[in-house]
Amino acid sequence: MNTTHITNEDILKMESHARAAFMNSLSGFKSASLIGSIDRAGNTNLAIFSSVIHIGSNPALIGFINRPDSTSRHTLENILDTNCYTINHINEAIYMKAHQTSARYPKEVSEFDATDLTVEFGSRISAPYVKESNIKYGLELAEKLELKINGTMLIIGRVVEVFMPEYCLMPLGGIDVEKAETITISGLDSYHKTSLLSRLTYAKQDTLPEKFI
Amino acid sequence: MNTTHITNEDILKMESHARAAFMNSLSGFKSASLIGSIDRAGNTNLAIFSSVIHIGSNPALIGFINRPDSTSRHTLENILDTNCYTINHINEAIYMKAHQTSARYPKEVSEFDATDLTVEFGSRISAPYVKESNIKYGLELAEKLELKINGTMLIIGRVVEVFMPEYCLMPLGGIDVEKAETITISGLDSYHKTSLLSRLTYAKQDTLPEKFI
């Protein structure tokens, strides 16, 4: 195996699209989500994000990175307008439609209509869910942090409700996201399905982990 | 399909380990990385993280979430001590050893020794890499943000060098992380390999995405 050594100077010299592709791949596999939002006039919006991340369990917090200058700016505007949003897992059946939400539609066009995904409402917030998504959850805006180093925003929400197939809830509290056909993203354009290697027991100093599935 | 509706009140009532398993699964698939660090006395440390995330391409920034009260506290202490660290993709051959780094070893025990992973050094920073990892990169600490809402930290680093197999670099700048056998994590204990569904063309308003692989 030939190993390549790429320095910071090499990265800075890359053409800008190549650099974005490179850096977006470097962190490894990413979550694949559609964020649904709505403004006070009732206009819905849907946008794909690969930056959704676990922040904490108690309180129940999930975050995502929002770039103000990107096609996801309508998402942030709506969240600031109505204080809520939904996160919907992308599965194999809808990933091409999900990808299409990243096109630059004008504000008055709902990506639900443009991509033929179906609006569904929950009981606790006004933001729209994606009917075709198997695991989805609603959030209230909890904290908005500007990352001064590059002007992006970390948006943190408090989970208010979760919808998921009953058969995905595992005995010890985990969710079997693979059984829900949730997929994963690498880079800017690659979609992958997964296959379980194993689940491992809690790591302790004096023993090695064991596979319990 | 029976859909379960779980509210915020239900989540708060969960037993704490079940709640952690549930919330750590909710965001979907996560990156699988080992973070290598060193203190000024030369003691190495290695810890598994599933919270590594792309922050920006120019400058080249990658972040991760650090919980000060967890087994990863030595990582943060070392980063603050020497201002640098490495992020090493976990692959199928080493995921059980990677999982074992989450055991509570005392500060004077290096997880490299305890788990039989091999230290390797780059040319730009003092922190140790994992020889068995195929894609790995070194970072200098760039920003440390406390998330006041729950006391966790977002640690952002500037990428200073990358090591990867030459055959993983794709023509348009992306990295084929699947070809490097990088895996993905769900929840607290589940490890998955991936299989490419397709790569899609850049989304435009008037056309639908096409598969180019």
Side-chain angles (χ1 to χ4, degrees), chain A residues 16-17 35 62 72 101 115 121 124 130 139 166 178 195:
Chain A
S16 72
H17 287 91
I35 299 191
I62 301 279
S72 58
T101 65
T115 63
F121 290 102
R124 300 231 164 175
V130 177
L139 306 100
E166 207 176 291
E178 189 168 286
S195 107

Side-chain angles (χ1 to χ4, degrees), chain A residues 35 49 51-53 62-66 75 79 85 153-155:
Chain A
I35 299 191
F49 283 83
S51 61
V52 170
I53 189 170
I62 301 279
F64 73 96
I65 301 287
N66 190 289
T75 299
I79 293 173
Y85 51 108
M153 309 284 264
L154 172 61
I155 308 295

Side-chain angles (χ1 to χ4, degrees), chain A residues 27-207:
Chain A
S27 60
F29 287 104
K30 304 186 282 188
S31 53
S33 305
L34 284 163
I35 299 191
S37 62
I38 195 164
D39 65 15
R40 272 185 279 187
N43 299 304
T44 60
N45 187 278
L46 191 65
I48 188 168
F49 283 83
S50 63
S51 61
V52 170
I53 189 170
H54 168 76
I55 298 290
S57 301
N58 189 11
L61 301 171
I62 301 279
F64 73 96
I65 301 287
N66 190 289
R67 288 162 223 289
D69 59 342
S70 77
T71 54
S72 58
R73 70 193 181 284
H74 298 149
T75 299
L76 184 56
E77 286 170 15
N78 285 350
I79 293 173
L80 297 178
D81 197 28
T82 60
N83 220 41
C84 66
Y85 51 108
T86 70
I87 301 183
N88 307 267
H89 283 207
I90 298 171
N91 56 52
E92 190 173 343
I94 61 169
Y95 79 94
M96 291 186 71
K97 293 177 177 182
H99 185 76
Q100 182 62 19
T101 65
S102 63
R104 289 184 180 273
Y105 293 105
K107 178 89 165 81
E108 64 273 16
V109 174
S110 170
E111 290 80 4
F112 279 100
D113 299 332
T115 63
D116 199 26
L117 287 164
T118 315
V119 168
E120 184 178 66
F121 290 102
S123 56
R124 300 231 164 175
I125 53 169
S126 62
Y129 290 90
V130 177
K131 186 174 195 298
E132 293 83 356
S133 173
N134 295 324
I135 298 178
K136 46 203 155 192
Y137 47 108
L139 306 100
E140 282 170 356
L141 178 62
E143 192 166 337
K144 176 170 75 82
L145 276 115
E146 188 181 347
L147 311 185
K148 294 208 179 61
I149 199 160
N150 70 348
T152 58
M153 309 284 264
L154 172 61
I155 308 295
I156 300 176
R158 190 183 305 267
V159 176
V160 295
E161 62 179 353
V162 179
F163 296 94
M164 50 181 279
E166 207 176 291
Y167 58 73
C168 290
L169 196 55
M170 296 194 287
L172 301 176
I175 305 169
D176 191 334
V177 297
E178 189 168 286
K179 207 182 262 182
E181 295 174 358
T182 296
I183 61 167
T184 177
I185 293 177
S186 69
L188 292 169
D189 56 16
S190 299
Y191 296 83
H192 309 253
K193 59 183 176 179
T194 65
S195 107
L196 183 68
L197 288 163
S198 70
R199 297 182 59 204
L200 297 182
T201 52
Y202 190 80
K204 290 180 183 160
Q205 204 184 313
D206 301 324
T207 56

Side-chain angles (χ1 to χ4, degrees), chain B residues 118-146:
Chain B
T118 314
V119 168
E120 184 178 66
F121 289 102
S123 57
R124 300 231 164 174
I125 53 169
S126 62
Y129 290 89
V130 177
K131 186 174 195 297
E132 293 83 355
S133 173
N134 295 324
I135 297 178
K136 46 202 156 192
Y137 47 108
L139 307 100
E140 281 170 355
L141 178 62
E143 192 167 338
K144 176 170 74 81
L145 276 115
E146 188 181 346

Side-chain angles (χ1 to χ4, degrees), chain B residues 34-96:
Chain B
L34 284 163
I35 298 190
S37 62
I38 194 165
D39 65 16
R40 272 185 279 188
N43 299 303
T44 60
N45 187 279
L46 191 65
I48 189 168
F49 283 83
S50 63
S51 61
V52 171
I53 188 170
H54 168 76
I55 298 290
S57 301
N58 189 12
L61 301 171
I62 300 279
F64 72 98
I65 302 288
N66 190 289
R67 288 163 222 290
D69 58 344
S70 77
T71 54
S72 58
R73 70 193 181 286
H74 298 149
T75 298
L76 184 56
E77 286 170 16
N78 286 349
I79 293 173
L80 297 178
D81 198 26
T82 60
N83 219 41
C84 66
Y85 52 108
T86 70
I87 300 183
N88 308 267
H89 283 207
I90 298 170
N91 56 51
E92 190 173 344
I94 61 170
Y95 79 95
M96 291 186 71

Side-chain angles (χ1 to χ4, degrees), chain B residues 108-123:
Chain B
E108 64 274 15
V109 174
S110 170
E111 290 81 3
F112 280 100
D113 300 332
T115 63
D116 200 25
L117 287 165
T118 314
V119 168
E120 184 178 66
F121 289 102
S123 57

